[in-house]
Amino acid sequence: QVQLVESGGGLVQAGDSLRLSCAASGRTGTIYAMAWFRQAPGKEREFLATITWIDGTTTYADSVKGRFTISRDNAKNTVYLQMNSLKPEDTAVYYCAAGGGGIGAVHFRPKYWGQGTQVTVSS
């Protein structure tokens, strides 16, 4: 089993930056990749980015490419999502996931989920 705990969410203004963290514990050696998703009220969960645990290869959804950056610190078993130039439409609950299958929205297969952290962007 792998446990994931997100942190770093909050209320910010449009144009601000925020960095989310996702700390992994348990059988982290079984993780192939980590990912960030978000879910806004009334909408489906949306893929944002993935990063491979070993070599740090990243992929992004077009909607966040250039604004969001996923990174990891293997020594801390932590994945980050740096979010810049935030917009009101970025308001959502942000989730991290651990899994395998590949990277990117099509290939990544989430196996473990965190509890989510709320990000609210005011205009």
Side-chain angles (χ1 to χ4, degrees), residues 91-116:
T91 295
V93 177
Y94 284 70
Y95 298 91
C96 71
I103 57 174
V106 174
H107 300 292
F108 179 73
R109 295 290 179 264
K111 187 173 183 180
Y112 305 101
W113 292 92
Q115 82 288 353

Side-chain angles (χ1 to χ4, degrees), residues 56-110:
T57 301
T58 59
T59 59
Y60 294 91
D62 288 342
S63 59
V64 301
K65 196 176 295 183
R67 290 195 303 128
F68 290 9
T69 302
I70 189 171
S71 62
R72 88 249 189 264
D73 184 333
N74 289 39
K76 296 181 179 180
N77 284 339
T78 300
V79 172
Y80 304 98
L81 185 68
Q82 177 67 42
M83 304 185 293
N84 298 328
S85 303
L86 283 163
K87 307 173 183 179
E89 50 264 44
D90 293 318
T91 295
V93 177
Y94 284 70
Y95 298 91
C96 71
I103 57 174
V106 174
H107 300 292
F108 179 73
R109 295 290 179 264

